[in-house]
Amino acid sequence: MSDPIVVCGAGIVGLSAALGLSRAGLDTVLVAPKQPLPSKAPGVYCPRVYALSPASQRFLAEQGVWDMLDPQRITAVESMQIYGDASGQVSLNAWQAAHDQLAWIIESDELERVLRQAVQLFRVNWLDDRFENFAQRGVSLASGKSISAPLVIGAEGGQSVVRQAAGIAHHSKPYGYAGVVTHLRVDRPHQGTAFQWFTSDGIIAFLPMPDTSDAHQVSLVWSMPQDQADTLMALDAAARAEWLALRLKVLAGHDLGTISVRSAVYAFPLFCEYSDMVAPGVVLVGDAAHRVHPLAGQGLNLGLGDVQELLHVLVSKESYRSPGDMRVLSRYRRARAEPVLAMRTVTDGLHRLFAVQAPPVVMVRNLGMQLVDRLPWVKRRLIQGASR
């Protein structure tokens, strides 16, 4: 019997990798602490949500996961309204690219819940342990155990211990901004529309969420200057909610009516990060390999794309090559280089473009948005690009 592939990390990307490898018939061990998911009362939603692309949805469906999700906790995005910081505006609709949806909004907890169920269903060997370091032919764990493995997959997020232990080159640049997230109660139905504003105070997005028994609901993601976020988070909960409601009503009141905060407010620093992704016997996926600005909502989609490509490379490799062979892993790195670089370039470029407040730049970028809104073929390409 061959040594197993070791997947380190039990977030969404790590669970997806372990599940996909097992379903492909590859001996797999998942190494991560078995931490319980927080229990949720009816009508209470996880503050962290994701916008899943059609490609990610198809991948989860292929893994038998999509149909396990609670349909009451999924919201289809059928259109998007994007506003510049002057007169610029772009309207995107799924039908413009012959799609039914642009994306699906779903909570992090809900995805983790069904992935854990699937991992159990397919009897993935999950060790309640933690990666410590590399041993002579595999890995050593925090418990003192060791595992021989031809390949170790680092999927433990931005602070990946596997990446650090393997000495994989890593580049990190803080944006000086924080992502502020919460859920909002709004008067008017969102009608499956996501909203995004590029403002002098950062980039603000409203993501459509399931209606509750007492209100319509959207999720807020605000990329806010770090000093402003620090000031906001220093307020007490009531003052924080009042400040957000007042500022957001100016932007969205004409679309969604009265706005109020309906859940706790969280903030986390934003980074642009990328790595070399592979070393002999080691490969990185998801945030362990790269992190991009959240303005396009593509971070998880990039991670699931990593998993999908890695599965393809491992399943289609020559039988005489080890999964950890650099010639095999280099195929994965080459395949992911273009989509990861493209997304990093677009998100970082947009962030930089809208951070400049010089009047000529403001005028040009808003004229550019007006031009895009008049060109159906450009909008179709934008939608198709985000669907991959």
Side-chain angles (χ1 to χ4, degrees):
M1 189 175 186
S2 61
D3 292 331
I5 295 172
V6 173
V7 179
C8 300
I12 293 169
V13 173
L15 290 167
S16 299
L19 176 63
L21 290 166
S22 295
R23 285 176 57 90
L26 300 173
D27 193 12
T28 306
V29 174
L30 176 62
V31 175
K34 292 184 178 181
Q35 298 174 342
L37 288 174
S39 58
K40 289 181 290 188
V44 176
Y45 290 80
C46 174
R48 187 167 191 175
V49 301
Y50 293 110
L52 288 180
S53 68
S56 292
Q57 185 272 338
R58 288 192 297 272
F59 173 64
L60 292 174
E62 291 166 1
Q63 298 304 314
V65 171
W66 186 256
D67 289 339
M68 297 170 66
L69 294 165
D70 182 351
Q72 301 299 316
R73 304 192 81 96
I74 304 173
T75 307
V77 180
E78 299 174 1
S79 63
M80 188 170 186
Q81 295 291 333
I82 307 170
Y83 301 95
D85 49 356
S87 58
Q89 181 175 343
V90 177
S91 298
L92 299 176
N93 290 275
W95 58 263
Q96 292 168 326
H99 291 178
D100 293 326
Q101 294 90 13
L102 295 174
W104 289 263
I105 306 301
I106 187 162
E107 304 155 87
S108 173
D109 281 3
E110 177 65 9
L111 271 175
E112 285 196 41
R113 179 186 68 81
V114 297
L115 281 165
R116 289 187 187 193
Q117 288 182 348
V119 162
Q120 278 189 310
L121 181 66
F122 286 95
R123 300 183 183 278
V124 176
N125 183 10
W126 184 346
L127 293 183
D128 185 6
D129 213 326
R130 192 184 302 273
F131 171 89
E132 185 84 5
N133 211 330
F134 289 99
Q136 187 173 2
R137 295 187 58 231
V139 298
S140 59
L141 308 180
S143 64
K145 296 179 182 178
S146 61
I147 305 174
S148 294
L151 178 64
V152 178
I153 300 174
E156 336 97 283
Q159 303 302 314
S160 171
V161 179
V162 169
R163 184 187 67 221
Q164 296 169 26
I168 295 176
H170 178 69
H171 311 272
S172 178
K173 178 188 69 175
Y175 276 114
Y177 280 67
V180 174
V181 298
T182 189
H183 294 320
L184 305 172
R185 181 184 289 107
V186 295
D187 273 353
R188 300 172 192 156
H190 51 64
Q191 297 182 325
T193 300
F195 298 87
Q196 188 167 49
W197 294 266
F198 289 87
T199 78
S200 58
D201 288 328
I203 303 164
I204 302 169
F206 283 5
L207 304 177
M209 292 284 289
D211 289 338
T212 64
S213 59
D214 64 338
H216 305 296
Q217 179 183 210
V218 297
S219 181
L220 167 71
V221 183
W222 187 337
S223 170
M224 182 185 294
Q226 187 66 60
D227 56 351
Q228 186 173 319
D230 292 341
T231 301
L232 172 66
M233 298 307 292
L235 301 175
D236 63 44
R240 196 181 300 156
E242 182 180 4
W243 187 92
L244 284 171
L246 288 172
R247 297 298 295 272
L248 295 171
K249 179 175 174 54
V250 175
L251 283 176
H254 63 288
D255 288 309
L256 297 171
T258 303
I259 295 169
S260 60
V261 175
R262 71 179 305 267
S263 68
V265 180
Y266 299 90
F268 51 91
L270 301 181
F271 294 85
C272 177
E273 298 185 324
Y274 58 98
S275 74
D276 285 353
M277 298 187 76
V278 300
V282 185
V283 64
L284 304 177
V285 292
D287 284 359
H290 43 68
R291 286 200 284 183
V292 297
H293 195 287
L295 67 88
Q298 294 297 310
L300 179 60
N301 294 320
L302 278 180
L304 293 177
D306 292 344
V307 173
Q308 191 168 13
E309 184 59 40
L310 181 60
L311 289 174
H312 170 72
V313 167
L314 293 178
V315 169
S316 61
K317 72 174 180 62
E318 300 88 345
S319 59
Y320 58 85
R321 294 199 191 278
S322 165
D325 189 318
M326 275 299 291
R327 281 162 292 192
V328 174
L329 299 183
S330 292
R331 297 167 192 168
Y332 162 75
R333 178 168 55 188
R334 285 194 300 271
R336 295 305 294 157
E338 182 180 350
V340 171
L341 175 60
M343 186 56 62
R344 187 171 76 244
T345 301
V346 168
T347 54
D348 192 56
L350 284 172
H351 167 75
R352 289 173 176 271
L353 176 63
F354 280 89
V356 177
Q357 295 302 311
V361 178
V362 173
M363 181 183 69
V364 169
R365 68 191 176 215
N366 281 275
L367 286 174
M369 292 182 72
Q370 294 175 23
L371 178 62
V372 168
D373 200 46
R374 296 191 185 103
L375 298 173
W377 67 271
V378 174
K379 294 200 277 189
R380 185 164 58 251
R381 290 291 298 272
L382 288 172
I383 294 169
Q384 290 171 341
S387 299
R388 296 195 183 102

